[in-house]
Amino acid sequence: MEEHKGYVSKSDVTGDIGSRRTATWTLKVPVDQFRAVLAALAALGHPVRNSSDSQDVTEEFVDLQARVKNFKVEEETLNKLLKESAVKIEDILKIREQIKNVRGDIERAEGRMKYLSTMAAMSTVTMTAREDMTYVPPLPETAPTFGDEIEGTFSRSVNALKNTGQQLTLVAVGLAPWSPFILIGLLFFRWAIKKLIASGNTPATHRSPREPRRSRSDADPAPVALPLAHPPAHPEPEKPAGGEGG
């Protein structure tokens, strides 16, 4: 690019080592070097697609020139008015504010003109390249040893622990403003549990009116004597009611 007086404005390379990689470059080259740069890039590989587009900025550039000219005339008129006619403080402040706005319009228009001039002087070339399908990436000189695997595993474990600690710290910092509300909630929950347990252990102090208290006789009725199945064979004679007589 140095021989064509251009430069790389953007570069993007994707793909891991050992696999086919893809890269995109955005180049800025002088207009008179545009065709030469395209030919040099095409010689680097096998071109698959080549397209070009142009943008005519002449009309916009001329319009900006006219706007800048009008803005400067307006700015000059305001400066003259500020020196000759402004007497009150309010009028001076208003005129200065208008001059400030006009100056901003002039600077924006001149900046756009400068950008268009750069675009007209430089061409933009975007090139996308990918490695050939037959490309064989170089293999590592030596395979990793068991010690290398241990070292890598330990390093990954330490990094995971470090990341976990950082995430926990961020969570703690995020919950810090909510700690008073969390504490109040925990205290209320503890009070509710204690009250529930206390109400479950309270003994009954009265009976239901639908269940009257029963006496001992009602609860456990006395046994009833049952008659014998067969009367005795020789019943004793009944004695007279008056006792022994003569």
Side-chain angles (χ1 to χ4, degrees), residues 81-99:
L81 183 64
L82 179 63
K83 295 178 181 180
E84 298 178 358
S85 302
V87 178
K88 298 181 180 180
I89 300 297
E90 294 81 359
D91 296 337
I92 294 176
L93 295 177
K94 289 181 180 179
I95 294 175
R96 286 184 176 179
E97 185 66 23
Q98 293 178 359
I99 293 174

Side-chain angles (χ1 to χ4, degrees), residues 185-216:
L186 292 176
L187 293 176
F188 177 78
F189 180 75
R190 182 181 178 184
W191 172 80
I193 293 297
K194 285 186 176 181
K195 187 175 182 180
L196 182 61
I197 295 175
S199 62
N201 294 333
T202 303
T205 57
H206 63 278
R207 294 178 176 271
S208 174
R210 295 185 179 181
E211 298 181 1
R213 185 184 297 274
R214 296 184 301 172
S215 63
R216 177 63 179 174

Side-chain angles (χ1 to χ4, degrees), residues 25-215:
W25 294 279
T26 301
L27 313 177
K28 296 291 185 179
V29 297
V31 175
D32 56 351
Q33 298 290 327
F34 178 72
R35 298 297 177 185
V37 169
L38 289 183
L41 294 177
L44 296 176
H46 304 285
V48 177
R49 180 183 177 187
N50 188 351
S51 62
S52 61
D53 187 14
S54 62
Q55 181 181 2
D56 189 3
V57 297
T58 305
E59 183 178 355
E60 183 180 0
F61 191 85
V62 173
D63 180 65
L64 287 173
Q65 281 183 328
R67 291 175 60 186
V68 169
K69 184 178 179 180
N70 294 332
F71 285 146
K72 288 184 177 181
V73 171
E74 183 179 359
E75 183 183 24
E76 184 178 355
T77 303
L78 290 173
N79 286 325
K80 185 178 180 180
L81 183 64
L82 179 63
K83 295 178 181 180
E84 298 178 358
S85 302
V87 178
K88 298 181 180 180
I89 300 297
E90 294 81 359
D91 296 337
I92 294 176
L93 295 177
K94 289 181 180 179
I95 294 175
R96 286 184 176 179
E97 185 66 23
Q98 293 178 359
I99 293 174
K100 180 180 178 181
N101 294 335
V102 174
R103 171 48 51 182
D105 293 335
I106 293 173
E107 291 177 354
R108 283 191 293 270
E110 289 179 345
R112 180 63 179 173
M113 290 174 59
K114 184 177 180 181
Y115 173 74
L116 295 177
S117 298
T118 303
M119 287 185 60
M122 302 289 290
S123 297
T124 302
V125 178
T126 302
M127 183 185 71
T128 300
R130 63 175 181 269
E131 292 176 329
D132 193 355
M133 294 182 60
T134 59
Y135 171 76
V136 180
L139 298 176
E141 297 180 358
T142 57
T145 61
F146 183 68
D148 295 336
E149 293 181 358
I150 292 177
E151 182 179 359
T153 302
F154 181 78
S155 177
R156 288 191 295 271
S157 178
V158 171
N159 291 333
L161 180 61
K162 180 180 178 182
N163 293 333
T164 303
Q166 292 176 350
Q167 294 299 326
L168 292 177
T169 301
L170 293 176
V171 171
V173 173
L175 292 177
W178 297 89
S179 56
F181 302 98
I182 296 175
L183 180 60
I184 293 174
L186 292 176
L187 293 176
F188 177 78
F189 180 75
R190 182 181 178 184
W191 172 80
I193 293 297
K194 285 186 176 181
K195 187 175 182 180
L196 182 61
I197 295 175
S199 62
N201 294 333
T202 303
T205 57
H206 63 278
R207 294 178 176 271
S208 174
R210 295 185 179 181
E211 298 181 1
R213 185 184 297 274
R214 296 184 301 172
S215 63

